[in-house]
Amino acid sequence: MAQHAHSEIIGMQPEANWITRAPTLKRKAILLAKVQDEAGHGLYLYAAAETLGVTRQTLYELLLAGKQKYSSIFNYPTLSWADIGAIGWLVDGAAIVNQVPLCRCSYGPYARAMIRICKEESFHQRQGYEILYTLSHGTPAQKAMAQDAVDRWWYPSLAMFGPPDTESTHSERSMAWKIKRFGNDELRQRFVDMCVPQAAVLDLTIPDPALRWNADRGGYDFTPPDYAELMAVVRGNGPCNRQRMAHRRQAYEDGAWVREAAAAYAAKRREPVHA
Amino acid sequence: MPEDSPLWEVFVRPRRGLAHSHVGSLHAPDAAMALRNARDLYTRRQEGVSIWVVPAAQITASSPDEKDAFFDPAADKVYRHPTFYDVPEGAPHL
Ligand SMILES: [Fe+2]
Ligand SMILES: [Fe+2]
């Protein structure tokens, strides 16, 4: 839960990177709303984690000290506006596939937070899909930009489902406790099967020459993501790990005076008034 | 390590005529900020027309471990339900 909360908070960074450069005022308002939602998701999840007895402050410190992780996907850079589309479609899309089963997980506070989150995520995915659709039906340069973004985000999105079930360290326990209800590979397959027809409507290509329908299995065969790369990013060697953490630490320190001022004001108002 | 600001439980009334119901919690230094943060956190999509924030420390809750004993007095009083009674055939509006 803590890792999930941290992911929502760190996940604001790659997208916030494009808020000031959104192509229109409408897109800017939408992106602001989405990033604000992600902050909200983080807060719902921190609150859920706190019901187990840990303090918010402890959770922050564990993140800032690098002792708790966040989803590796957010360690990739957002190089073009089309990346905002690809993140909405693929990253939020993968998150939805991962998260929908969590709405019925065995821990009530987590499940309730997930229900709120899932309701909000479908807007995220659709706005991303719309960005890509607009680009892929625009000029050839815009279409190329959209394709480039999909090429870069496809495999990292597949990696969001985690290592294969045979190698996943936590899966077995999470399944036994009914926190996770489906295996990593099953969810990954579900995601691929959803994306293929969506990519066709976008008129964009999924960057996998091995992708083809397997009638026997009733699903698409596909090339798995590079799990060695996933593990390297998890260990801290992704393109943006250091930048993301530095930014988070900076934001935390820059906000300290606000927290102190608000606490001081609250304390002052609690003092008895002397006539 | 700095301390967390107080925890507040948030209750939202979705529409006029409905009761406030619990939606979640948040940290804030005082009630006014708790209310503003609750608005931003729990009603970004017009989910409510009224919000209550209550300091979590002020809530007294029954213990989940004593649930059975605590609610036991109601268990054997089926006669409190209308379905307990046989209504004679032909008695209208009962
Ligand atoms: Fe989210
Ligand atoms: Fe999202």
Side-chain angles (χ1 to χ4, degrees):
Chain A
M1 266 189 282
Q3 177 177 336
H4 193 168
H6 299 323
S7 301
E8 302 283 353
I9 297 298
I10 298 286
M12 295 161 74
Q13 291 186 35
E15 293 186 283
N17 181 29
W18 279 91
I19 289 175
T20 54
R21 293 178 288 166
T24 66
L25 194 55
K26 181 183 106 179
R27 293 288 184 203
K28 182 173 179 171
I30 292 172
L31 187 55
L32 261 175
K34 179 185 191 280
V35 172
Q36 196 188 9
D37 274 354
E38 304 301 2
H41 297 176
L43 293 176
Y44 307 152
L45 290 165
Y46 279 131
E50 284 171 70
T51 60
L52 292 171
V54 65
T55 68
R56 179 76 54 94
Q57 193 61 38
T58 307
L59 293 170
Y60 285 162
E61 312 244 328
L62 286 169
L63 171 67
L64 295 179
K67 289 186 184 146
Q68 283 184 344
K69 303 211 179 304
Y70 54 89
S71 174
S72 287
I73 191 79
F74 302 118
N75 289 318
Y76 292 89
T78 39
L79 303 178
S80 77
W81 169 251
D83 286 27
I84 300 305
I87 288 182
W89 176 41
L90 296 174
V91 176
D92 287 273
I96 291 173
V97 172
N98 261 329
Q99 291 173 353
V100 166
L102 292 174
C103 294
R104 298 184 54 201
C105 77
S106 62
Y107 189 59
Y110 193 29
R112 287 192 288 275
M114 289 318 306
I115 289 170
R116 292 190 72 87
I117 290 175
C118 285
K119 274 189 198 157
E120 301 182 353
E121 289 293 357
S122 67
F123 138 61
H124 298 176
Q125 191 188 23
R126 283 189 189 191
Q127 63 86 37
Y129 194 77
E130 194 194 75
I131 289 173
L132 286 181
Y133 188 87
T134 307
L135 289 172
S136 70
H137 293 75
T139 66
Q142 286 172 324
K143 185 168 180 185
M145 189 202 267
Q147 183 63 57
D148 171 62
V150 171
D151 289 349
R152 281 181 290 108
W153 287 94
W154 175 252
Y155 286 103
S157 300
L158 289 188
M160 284 175 69
F161 296 92
D165 295 324
T166 45
E167 290 162 37
S168 177
T169 38
H170 305 300
S171 266
E172 213 173 311
R173 190 180 64 187
S174 304
M175 296 276 275
W177 287 1
K178 295 196 168 51
I179 296 296
K180 263 168 112 164
R181 300 171 51 239
F182 301 97
N184 295 351
D185 294 320
E186 186 179 351
L187 292 173
R188 190 168 9 246
Q189 180 71 51
R190 205 180 278 181
F191 176 68
V192 172
D193 293 345
M194 271 172 39
C195 286
V196 173
Q198 292 170 353
V201 173
L202 288 175
D203 198 18
L204 294 173
T205 311
I206 290 175
D208 181 359
L211 189 73
R212 61 180 55 81
W213 178 252
N214 182 330
D216 295 341
R217 290 196 305 119
Y220 285 88
D221 288 338
F222 60 95
T223 308
D226 180 349
Y227 294 113
E229 176 185 315
L230 171 67
M231 293 332 280
V233 181
V234 169
R235 277 193 304 271
N237 296 318
C240 298
N241 295 54
R242 283 170 198 82
Q243 182 191 338
R244 299 287 184 243
M245 286 308 293
H247 185 88
R248 185 70 216 123
R249 263 183 222 109
Q250 186 70 40
Y252 184 74
E253 283 161 23
D254 290 350
W257 72 271
V258 179
R259 293 189 295 274
E260 281 160 22
Y265 179 71
K268 194 172 157 198
R269 295 241 307 206
R270 270 197 306 272
E271 273 169 26
V273 182
H274 302 290
Chain B
M1 197 190 282
E3 248 174 62
D4 281 345
S5 57
L7 187 67
W8 302 77
E9 297 300 333
V10 182
F11 299 81
V12 169
R13 178 209 284 281
R15 282 192 307 281
R16 259 193 74 204
L18 295 182
H20 285 74
S21 50
H22 184 241
V23 292
S25 51
L26 51 78
H27 288 279
D30 60 30
M33 283 198 70
L35 206 50
R36 284 181 163 267
N37 292 350
R39 178 199 60 188
D40 293 345
L41 190 54
Y42 291 108
T43 59
R44 287 196 302 281
R45 290 178 175 77
Q46 297 180 293
E47 288 95 336
V49 293
S50 164
I51 300 177
W52 292 343
V53 290
V54 180
Q58 294 293 316
I59 293 177
T60 308
S62 61
S63 155
D65 300 334
E66 288 154 29
K67 168 166 72 75
D68 290 342
F70 192 72
F71 294 105
D72 179 64
D76 58 354
K77 297 180 180 62
V78 281
Y79 45 83
R80 284 178 168 160
H81 297 279
T83 45
F84 176 74
Y85 300 91
D86 292 327
V87 177
E89 214 163 297
H93 307 303
L94 209 80

